[in-house]
């Protein structure tokens, strides 16, 4: 089998890529950076700077690029971001999940009932185990609901659109029925930390520990990659390119740590804290850093785990294979039906996790929690480059997509656009993003 | 014209499919069909579209479950309920559609369902790419696009990925469904050479084809199907092109003439 006409003549063994034109082209080739990723980061930077400048010029105060706003932005993105990671798998395998918002509400109510109505009577109010049991119950609830959806889609062959459209109504209604429409509060105080209050953040020292681990991991990944290529005799990236990637990623991690540490606790929280600990507040106030919020760290952990799952395990490989060609996947011996059940169960699990964050942030559980979240989650995945045709999508893309959506909303609130304009803009951006993505794909073919 | 060496059919056949039946919604797609295959032999399966040849072969490759009948591999009765079972008996298939996941690269497709994993259970992409480079160097030395998704490959390159997948895992029994349908003359020649090479290694091949010339040239025997039934199995040295055509079109066995 030869096909000489298509290939450029190259020496056997380690192929050298054809020389690219221009400095930028050479740079991209050497670093092998994903141009889509760069494009999305560029878009995000544009949105951030745009809102900041608008605020600075029109309102006389740029409120966007402040530690306070960016910290809040990260917390607000967590819930949608966690679910978007699961939605990538669902959409990559050519399905859709319209029910995540309702399932989130249902899980939140189940967790609320568990920790406010049941557990205090069994183990006592504010017992240490309450938050753990509540979260586990939420995760199990979400997983079971998701697996049930997956079962109906795979084995009863009802389209995912219909199953989850039904789920959208069923679970919202079920959330109401469980608690007869009541708002359940207050939730356990340890549970509340999951939502990212000032106390629900790891502080300056904790953030530096996270940051140093992050830098160590980034650097070791880059050099492990070099070693691996050497072992198999593949072409190496130039040393400067690898060093550049390690340096930029490391700097980004350190920058994020410095940012979250630059946002101090509000004065009221500091006063309460000082009174409780018996500290006298010095002249000029006490500067206590927030550090990374716990929900952001949860999102980070989910992102890392899901990225590993998608790129380094058979499960992830099969997800992409099913999305690319379901028939070929089945002929390769992959149990595509069971895979569908597992994918939706995972979506449900992440929805349960997201419900913990959302409910903790609110400090209560209401049956309306998560309303319209399904649309934001799907939009985040799609803006992040997940193709509804299946087979294409990344975890980091979905999280960036969630950040883009949240940035738009937060930015418009800051500069005083009302809710109606926000909807118009977010909706338009979704359509525009998919159009640009299509152009990109066509151009890169 | 045909293979010069006489095939030894005194031993146990590699594959013996006996009295296979399958129907879809009342249509007997395969109706009491028996075929067999010996080591180093190429058996052509001929017939019109819808004659049931692809369906018969999908039963052997595990894509469909048969309604009745038995399959023997090396004389032992086997149960094939899934493509995984078929692979466990060293039955590999090159489908007409190639069955490639277009969004994955050559190595991922080659190892799909049988990924190499590292000691901690992660897929070892580098090892798989290295293995893919090795086998492609043998099958298609001009193949260089190891990092691209297979959607970016030409028809011939895609075909070579599909063939590499079947050959890499030490197939004993190879099913080729229209392997040359989408190929140019040069690539078709390469497939012919590959078939001769595999024959010499003692691999048995079922070759599904529309092309009587291909069958006369490459096959030792031909089994012709029509409307789900087996018209007959003939030694290609004993028949002419016209005899085969008569079997395909009229369903008439040459011995009846």
């Amino acid at each position: 089998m030869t096909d000489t006409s298509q290939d450029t003549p190259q020496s056997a063994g380690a192929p050298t890529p054809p020389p690219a034109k221009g400095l930028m082209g050479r740079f991209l080739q050497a670093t092998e950076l994903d141009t889509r990723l760069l494009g999305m980061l560029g878009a995000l930077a544009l949105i951030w700077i745009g809102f900041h400048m608008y605020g600075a010029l029109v309102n006389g105060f740029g409120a966007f690029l402040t530690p306070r706003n960016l910290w809040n932005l990260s917390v607000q993105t967590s819930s949608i971001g966690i679910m978007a990671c699961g939605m990538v798998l669902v959409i990559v395998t050519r399905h859709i999940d319209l029910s995540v918002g309702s399932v989130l509400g249902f899980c939140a109510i189940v967790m609320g009932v568990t920790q406010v109505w049941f557990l205090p009577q069994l183990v006592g109010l504010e017992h240490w185990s309450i938050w753990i049991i509540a979260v586990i119950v939420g995760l199990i609830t979400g997983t079971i609901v998701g697996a049930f959806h997956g079962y109906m889609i795979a084995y009863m062959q009802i389209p995912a659109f219909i199953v989850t459209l039904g789920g959208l109504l069923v679970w919202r209604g079920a959330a109401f029925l469980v608690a007869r429409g009541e708002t359940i509060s207050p939730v356990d105080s340890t549970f509340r930390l999951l939502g990212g209050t000032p106390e629900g953040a790891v502080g300056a020292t904790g953030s530096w520990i996270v940051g140093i681990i992050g830098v160590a991991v980034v650097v070791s990944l880059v050099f492990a990659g070099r070693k691996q290529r050497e072992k198999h005799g593949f072409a190496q990236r130039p040393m400067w390119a690898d060093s550049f990637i390690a340096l930029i990623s490391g700097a980004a991690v350190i920058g994020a740590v410095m940012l979250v540490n630059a946002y101090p606790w509000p004065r009221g929280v500091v006063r309460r804290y000082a009174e409780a600990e018996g500290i006298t507040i010095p002249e000029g106030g006490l500067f206590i850093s927030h550090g990374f919020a716990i929900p952001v760290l949860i999102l980070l952990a989910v992102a890392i785990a899901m990225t590993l799952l998608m790129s380094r395990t058979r499960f992830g490989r099969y997800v992409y294979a099913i999305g690319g060609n379901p028939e070929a996947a089945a002929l390769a011996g992959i149990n595509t039906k069971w895979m569908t059940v597992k994918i939706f169960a995972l979506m449900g699990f992440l929805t349960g996790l997201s419900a913990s964050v959302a409910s903790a942030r609110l400090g209560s559980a209401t049956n309306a929690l998560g309303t319209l979240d399904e649309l934001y989650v799907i939009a985040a995945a799609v803006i992040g480059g997940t193709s509804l045709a299946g087979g294409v999508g990344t975890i980091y893309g979905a999280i960036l997509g969630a950040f883009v959506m949240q940035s738009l909303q937060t930015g418009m609130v800051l500069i005083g656009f009302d809710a109606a304009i926000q909807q118009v803009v977010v909706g338009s951006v979704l359509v525009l993003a998919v159009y640009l993505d299509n152009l990109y794909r066509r151009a890169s073919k | 014209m045909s293979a010069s060496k006489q095939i030894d059919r005194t031993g146990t056949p590699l594959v013996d499919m006996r009295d296979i039946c399958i129907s879809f919604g009342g249509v007997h797609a395969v109706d009491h069909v028996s075929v067999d295959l010996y080591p180093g032999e190429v058996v052509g399966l001929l017939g019109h579209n819808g004659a049931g040849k692809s369906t018969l072969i999908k039963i052997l490759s595990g894509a469909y479950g048969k309604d009745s009948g038995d399959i023997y591999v090396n004389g032992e009765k086997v149960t094939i309920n899934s493509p995984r079972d078929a692979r466990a008996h060293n039955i590999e298939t090159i489908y007409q559609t190639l069955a490639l996941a277009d969004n994955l690269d050559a190595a991922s497709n080659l190892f799909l369902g049988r990924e190499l994993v590292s000691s901690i259970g992660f897929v070892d992409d580098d090892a798989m790419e290295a293995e893919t480079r090795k086998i492609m160097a043998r099958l298609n030395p001009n193949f260089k696009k190891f990092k691209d998704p297979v959607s970016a490959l030409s028809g011939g390159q895609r075909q070579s990925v599909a063939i590499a997948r079947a050959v890499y895992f030490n197939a004993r029994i190879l099913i080729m469904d229209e392997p040359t349908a989408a190929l140019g003359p040069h690539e078709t020649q390469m497939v012919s050479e590959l078939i001769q090479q595999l024959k010499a290694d003692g691999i048995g091949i079922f070759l599904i084809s529309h092309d009587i010339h291909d069958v006369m040239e490459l096959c030792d025997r031909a089994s012709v199907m029509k409307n789900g039934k087996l018209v007959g199995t003939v030694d290609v040295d004993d028949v002419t092109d016209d005899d085969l055509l008569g079997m395909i079109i009229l369903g008439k066995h040459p011995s009846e003439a």
Side-chain angles (χ1 to χ4, degrees):
Chain A
M1 305 291 307
T2 50
D3 190 344
T4 45
S5 58
Q6 302 278 323
D7 294 315
T8 46
Q10 286 163 2
S11 59
T16 43
K21 293 183 186 89
L23 197 63
M24 195 61 195
R26 274 213 305 279
F27 170 77
L28 286 177
Q29 192 151 52
T31 50
E32 292 175 20
L33 279 176
D34 183 359
T35 46
R36 289 170 57 92
L37 172 64
L38 292 181
M40 289 190 51
L41 286 173
L44 194 59
L46 212 64
I47 291 169
W48 287 12
I49 294 168
F51 278 121
H52 190 77
M53 295 309 286
Y54 185 95
L57 295 175
V58 178
N59 302 345
F61 174 61
F64 201 96
L65 292 175
T66 57
R68 175 183 171 166
N69 182 52
L70 294 177
W71 188 88
N72 278 315
L73 180 70
S74 71
V75 174
Q76 287 159 353
T77 308
S78 305
S79 174
I80 298 290
I82 290 167
M83 287 191 283
C85 291
M87 191 61 80
V88 170
L89 277 68
V90 170
I91 298 180
V92 162
T93 51
R94 307 184 179 189
H95 293 301
I96 195 79
D97 193 337
L98 299 173
S99 70
V100 292
S102 297
V103 175
L104 185 146
F106 181 70
C107 290
I109 285 289
V110 170
M111 279 188 287
V113 167
T114 307
Q115 64 179 314
V116 177
W117 291 358
F118 288 134
L119 286 177
Q121 296 179 8
L122 286 175
V123 297
L125 205 61
E126 291 290 308
H127 189 266
W128 61 268
S129 68
I130 286 183
W131 78 274
I132 300 172
I133 297 173
V135 169
I136 290 173
V137 166
L139 296 178
I140 291 174
T141 305
T143 308
I144 290 173
V145 169
F148 180 52
H149 287 168
Y151 173 80
M152 286 193 284
I153 293 159
Y155 291 95
M156 296 162 73
Q157 302 191 357
I158 311 169
F161 187 93
I162 300 301
V163 168
T164 58
L165 183 63
L168 170 85
L169 295 168
V170 167
W171 301 112
R172 186 64 70 198
F176 186 95
L177 291 174
V178 168
R180 302 180 300 274
E182 289 175 36
T183 295
I184 304 168
S185 69
V187 294
D188 182 74
S189 63
T190 316
F191 181 83
R192 286 205 66 168
L193 299 181
L194 297 176
T197 50
E199 293 91 344
V202 294
T205 317
S207 299
W208 277 115
I209 293 171
V210 171
I212 288 164
I213 293 173
V215 171
V217 167
V218 165
V219 172
S220 62
L221 275 183
V222 168
F223 289 96
R226 282 189 79 83
K227 217 170 157 190
Q228 192 72 8
R229 289 184 188 212
E230 197 178 325
K231 185 178 141 198
H232 291 287
F234 298 162
Q236 286 284 7
R237 280 195 291 230
M239 191 64 193
W240 66 262
D242 272 337
S243 308
F244 177 80
I245 290 175
L247 197 70
I248 289 290
S249 321
V253 173
I254 300 295
V257 173
M258 290 171 71
L259 180 79
V260 291
N261 282 349
Y263 176 37
W265 281 11
R267 239 172 286 152
V269 178
V270 172
R271 201 183 312 122
R272 247 187 294 135
Y273 173 78
E275 278 165 15
E277 300 282 313
I279 309 168
T280 43
I281 300 176
E283 197 75 21
L286 194 60
F287 189 97
I288 302 177
S289 297
H290 275 78
F292 287 115
I294 289 174
V296 176
L297 293 179
I298 294 175
L299 173 62
L300 190 68
V302 167
I304 292 170
M306 293 294 288
T307 302
L308 281 177
L309 182 74
M310 289 298 273
S311 60
R312 287 276 163 266
T313 68
R314 288 185 167 172
F315 179 87
R317 190 58 47 87
Y318 297 166
V319 168
Y320 284 117
I322 291 170
N325 188 342
E327 201 190 340
L331 290 174
I334 297 168
N335 189 340
T336 53
K337 291 187 174 180
W338 183 229
M339 281 291 294
T340 302
V341 174
K342 287 198 272 189
I343 288 163
F344 275 86
L346 182 59
M347 179 76 250
F349 174 86
L350 291 174
T351 308
L353 188 60
S354 187
S356 312
V357 169
S359 163
R361 188 168 151 71
L362 193 65
S364 63
T366 74
N367 56 280
L369 197 66
T371 304
L372 287 184
D373 270 9
E374 57 280 343
L375 299 183
Y376 291 117
V377 171
I378 293 168
V382 169
I383 288 177
T386 310
S387 163
L388 287 168
V392 179
T394 56
I395 300 297
Y396 69 75
I399 291 172
L400 275 175
F403 265 103
V404 167
M405 301 259 304
Q406 193 59 49
S407 300
L408 284 173
Q409 278 185 313
T410 306
M412 285 186 289
V413 170
L414 282 180
I415 61 178
F417 282 3
D418 60 29
I421 299 181
Q422 290 176 33
Q423 287 177 331
V424 170
V425 171
V426 171
S428 309
V429 165
L430 171 64
V431 176
L432 183 71
V434 173
Y435 175 66
L436 289 177
D437 196 49
N438 280 350
L439 288 185
Y440 172 85
R441 273 180 224 277
R442 248 174 275 160
S444 65
K445 256 202 179 147
Chain B
M1 276 248 292
S2 77
S4 51
K5 208 185 88 198
Q6 199 59 38
I7 302 296
D8 175 21
R9 297 202 187 89
T10 51
T12 18
L14 266 181
V15 181
D16 192 0
M17 297 179 79
R18 292 186 200 162
D19 219 21
I20 304 291
C21 293
I22 187 172
S23 16
F24 298 107
V27 178
H28 297 285
V30 174
D31 195 1
H32 298 283
V33 172
S34 300
V35 290
D36 56 3
L37 178 70
Y38 286 84
E41 185 184 34
V42 182
V43 171
L45 282 175
L46 282 162
H48 278 306
N49 288 330
K53 49 193 196 309
S54 283
T55 310
L56 176 70
I57 236 59
K58 280 188 171 170
I59 291 170
L60 183 60
S61 67
Y64 295 151
K66 58 185 163 32
D67 293 342
S68 64
D70 296 314
I71 301 174
Y72 295 82
V73 173
N74 287 323
E76 276 178 47
K77 191 170 167 181
V78 297
T79 314
I80 297 176
N81 290 326
S82 73
R84 233 172 244 279
D85 295 343
R87 287 174 164 193
H89 295 294
N90 292 337
I91 301 170
E92 295 287 337
T93 311
I94 301 165
Y95 293 96
Q96 186 175 4
T97 58
L98 303 183
L100 298 173
D102 277 338
N103 53 338
L104 301 181
D105 61 17
S108 300
N109 269 292
L110 204 154
F111 286 93
L112 190 58
R114 292 179 279 201
E115 289 76 7
L116 301 178
V117 290
S118 63
S119 49
I120 48 170
F122 284 166
V123 292
D124 193 341
D125 281 314
D126 291 324
M128 289 193 281
E129 187 183 329
E131 287 299 304
T132 308
R133 283 179 188 273
K134 271 186 223 158
I135 186 147
M136 289 312 250
R138 187 152 75 82
L139 291 178
N140 184 354
N142 290 309
F143 191 94
K144 289 288 181 296
K145 294 182 173 173
F146 290 97
K147 294 286 183 196
D148 291 331
V150 296
S151 60
L153 306 183
S154 69
Q157 290 171 331
R158 290 162 58 84
Q159 184 88 35
S160 60
V161 173
I163 290 176
R165 171 160 67 182
V167 174
Y168 178 82
F169 292 96
N170 300 320
R172 296 277 294 127
I173 299 145
L174 191 57
I175 302 166
M176 301 174 106
D177 192 349
E178 301 275 4
T180 58
L183 300 183
H186 181 63
E187 289 149 348
T188 305
Q189 181 59 36
M190 295 298 290
V191 171
S192 305
E193 283 167 20
L194 179 72
I195 289 175
Q196 296 303 337
Q197 190 192 326
L198 296 171
K199 254 172 82 84
D201 294 343
I203 294 170
I205 301 175
F206 276 122
L207 181 71
I208 300 178
S209 186
H210 272 97
D211 188 335
I212 290 181
H213 279 291
D214 268 4
V215 172
M216 291 298 279
E217 194 183 309
L218 297 171
C219 299
D220 301 295
R221 284 185 297 158
S223 294
V224 179
M225 289 180 71
K226 184 175 163 66
N227 297 335
K229 291 192 170 67
L230 186 71
V231 176
T233 300
V234 292
D235 214 312
V236 291
D237 289 338
D238 301 341
V239 293
T240 62
D241 292 18
D242 287 343
D243 290 336
L244 280 180
L245 264 180
M247 290 174 78
I248 294 168
I249 297 170
L250 305 171
K252 192 176 69 177
H253 200 279
S255 60
E256 296 166 9

